[in-house]
Amino acid sequence: MSPDIESIRSQFPILGQTVYNKPLVYLDNGATTQKPQSVIDAVADVYVRCNSNIHRGVHRLSNICTEAFEEARRAVARHINAACAHEVIFTRGTTESINLAAFSFGESFCAQGDEIVITAMEHHSNIVPWQMLCERKGMKLRVAPIDANGDLDLEALGRLLNGRTRLVAVAHVSNVMGTVNPVARIVAMAHAAGIPVLVDAAQSAPHLPIDVQALDCDFMAFSGHKMYAPNGIGVLYGKESWLDRMKPYQGGGEMIEKVTFERTTYNVLPFKFEAGTPDYVAAIGLHRAIDFIGSIGLDAIAAHEHRLARAAIERLTAIDGLRLIGTPAQRAGVVSFVIDGIHPYDIGLLLDKMGIAVRTGHHCAEPLIDHFGIAGTVRASFAVYNTMAEVDALAAGVRRVAEMMK
Ligand code: PLP
């Protein structure tokens, strides 16, 4: 059943505003999503009712917050179908999750001459931490190519896997082209060679149903703020069998079992990887965001966003001189384009004056943008609260810009 978009929109106070006297058309959801009232209320409620640092307190408020934080962890585990809640590590976001994995996995399982395989469509967050690991250890970063449509070349990826490959790190969904990568197949290929896989789910967790056990991935990273939750909270999922054997990332409170000046022993999962005070307020907000997503259903969300993306492509490609960047076989609700002779930044600025928020530039995927030999793209990215009328406004706005700048 199609979701009731007007009722959904009414839960997002920010969407009702005007920008330059035009109704806000917010199409920058790949960067961050807006927050429903239930999430905003959940955050305020903690500060009004029970704020207190977690885990270490014996008093009532601390117990309430601790229980809500751990309940949020259980909600995340259910949301991605993790085998157990302690496979869910709370971080600040996808970036920190991948840095954690790259550091701790690298320290525990990598040595000089080893290799990490990524793809040509990765976000900087899934390139640079691996590059840093390679620099630290004298390892090699190998990059699986994409074809002209923006689909991953699976055969080429397969050829990169060898006895020195320690891990494959791949985006579930490209934040530039919307390409949905066949991660289950990639995991099967890598596992056949005994290689674990990390999935960057920053752009899929808000939009596609995810089952880490069915995918059988070894690690998965995503950000709360891209899935209707507050900023400052994210997740690294990892299989217990890996996490248990990995060295800690940061040292400090919470991650220890016993500290003496001579020696420290570490806490059990998940706390071993959660040094210091976590953003328990944002984690509680993330729980409400998962409830919000659950109230609609990710299948319905994906179908709605897919309809919007299809309509956007149909209307945009009818504009003279407009070229899509990426025409993948399977696409999530992300559409990138360029217009001959007009800088993406200028298109974004002019759309903004019409109240339309899109993102322009390299989208933190510079190697991919270089691959296409362009300065950047204009990107529209959809969320469940976007409407067909907003797609029409985008297409009309882009057409106006194209005519103005001719
Ligand atoms: N990976 C992908 C595919 C992304 O799109 C993003 C953000 O846009 C990130 C990683 C980084 O996410 P964050 O900035 O929330 O850590």
Side-chain angles (χ1 to χ4, degrees):
M1 211 180 77
S2 294
D4 177 352
I5 303 303
E6 281 318 311
S7 143
I8 289 168
R9 283 183 77 80
S10 70
Q11 298 176 47
F12 287 79
I14 204 170
L15 296 178
Q17 70 180 288
T18 53
V19 174
Y20 309 116
N21 291 323
K22 311 276 184 342
L24 168 67
V25 175
Y26 186 77
L27 300 176
D28 193 17
N29 298 288
T32 200
T33 55
Q34 302 302 346
K35 320 302 172 198
Q37 191 66 52
S38 59
V39 169
I40 298 168
D41 288 347
V43 169
D45 182 61
V46 174
Y47 290 123
V48 169
R49 199 173 54 85
C50 63
N51 179 49
S52 178
N53 208 335
I54 57 170
H55 289 143
R56 289 177 282 269
V58 291
H59 58 80
R60 170 111 179 107
L61 295 192
S62 177
N63 288 337
I64 293 172
C65 269
T66 301
E67 181 44 37
F69 180 69
E70 291 306 326
E71 190 47 45
R73 195 190 308 276
R74 291 189 284 275
V76 171
R78 284 192 299 274
H79 186 65
I80 60 172
N81 194 31
C84 46
H86 59 251
E87 293 184 323
V88 171
I89 314 291
F90 280 124
T91 64
R92 285 191 299 126
T94 309
T95 303
E96 189 174 58
S97 297
I98 299 176
N99 275 278
L100 189 169
F103 181 84
S104 296
F105 183 89
E107 285 307 298
S108 311
F109 298 111
C110 297
Q112 188 170 10
D114 286 346
E115 298 179 359
I116 300 287
V117 172
I118 61 170
T119 83
M121 69 175 89
E122 299 307 317
H123 186 281
H124 296 164
S125 293
N126 203 26
I127 302 174
V128 184
W130 304 112
Q131 245 167 6
M132 289 164 71
L133 167 64
C134 289
E135 264 175 36
R136 227 171 31 243
K137 296 267 179 186
M139 295 166 54
K140 223 183 199 159
L141 190 66
R142 312 292 298 268
V143 183
I146 56 172
D147 66 18
N149 297 327
D151 280 313
L152 190 58
D153 183 339
L154 273 186
E155 278 181 21
L157 185 143
R159 285 194 295 275
L160 290 178
L161 305 180
N162 63 55
R164 304 245 56 157
T165 314
R166 290 292 157 263
L167 183 125
V168 175
V170 59
H172 196 173
V173 170
S174 156
N175 65 310
V176 176
M177 305 176 294
T179 311
V180 181
N181 281 318
V183 283
R185 275 181 67 194
I186 294 167
V187 169
M189 279 166 64
H191 281 185
I195 301 163
V197 176
L198 177 141
V199 177
D200 173 353
Q203 296 294 339
S204 59
H207 306 290
L208 304 174
I210 284 175
D211 181 332
V212 288
Q213 291 188 77
L215 285 178
D216 201 24
C217 59
D218 302 273
F219 302 96
M220 176 175 279
F222 54 93
S223 302
H225 71 94
K226 294 183 195 290
M227 51 190 290
Y228 312 105
N231 288 330
I233 193 76
V235 168
L236 175 68
Y237 158 82
K239 281 184 181 164
E240 182 176 358
S241 53
W242 285 113
L243 292 176
D244 250 349
R245 291 179 290 150
M246 279 161 50
K247 295 193 172 135
Y249 174 48
Q250 295 181 323
E254 199 64 41
M255 51 78 73
I256 53 89
E257 178 194 52
K258 170 103 186 118
V259 179
T260 66
F261 285 122
E262 288 70 40
R263 191 172 117 81
T264 293
T265 53
Y266 303 122
N267 207 338
V268 293
L269 292 176
F271 311 113
K272 182 171 85 171
F273 292 109
E274 292 181 353
T277 301
D279 195 338
Y280 53 90
V281 181
I284 293 165
L286 174 60
H287 187 174
R288 287 291 89 75
I290 289 172
D291 289 345
F292 165 77
I293 290 172
S295 72
I296 305 161
L298 271 167
D299 284 317
I301 291 174
H304 174 67
E305 291 169 354
H306 198 244
R307 270 194 299 276
L308 296 178
R310 255 202 337 255
I313 288 169
E314 202 181 288
R315 293 173 187 41
L316 288 170
T317 49
I319 297 169
D320 246 8
L322 186 144
R323 185 158 53 93
L324 293 179
I325 298 300
T327 48
Q330 233 199 312
R331 178 199 292 270
V334 177
V335 179
S336 261
F337 62 89
V338 292
I339 302 179
D340 293 339
I342 314 179
H343 198 282
Y345 184 70
D346 292 333
I347 301 172
L349 274 182
L350 289 167
L351 288 175
D352 175 54
K353 295 290 178 286
M354 303 173 204
I356 302 169
V358 292
R359 190 143 292 244
T360 63
H362 56 56
H363 315 294
C364 294
E366 272 192 80
L368 177 66
I369 296 298
D370 291 346
H371 166 86
F372 283 108
I374 51 179
T377 78
V378 181
R379 181 187 74 181
S381 50
F382 300 101
V384 67
Y385 42 64
N386 289 127
T387 64
M388 226 23 119
E390 290 181 314
V391 171
D392 291 339
L394 170 71
V398 173
R399 186 178 290 281
R400 239 180 97 195
V401 171
E403 280 162 7
M404 273 163 66
M405 306 282 288
K406 234 196 256 173

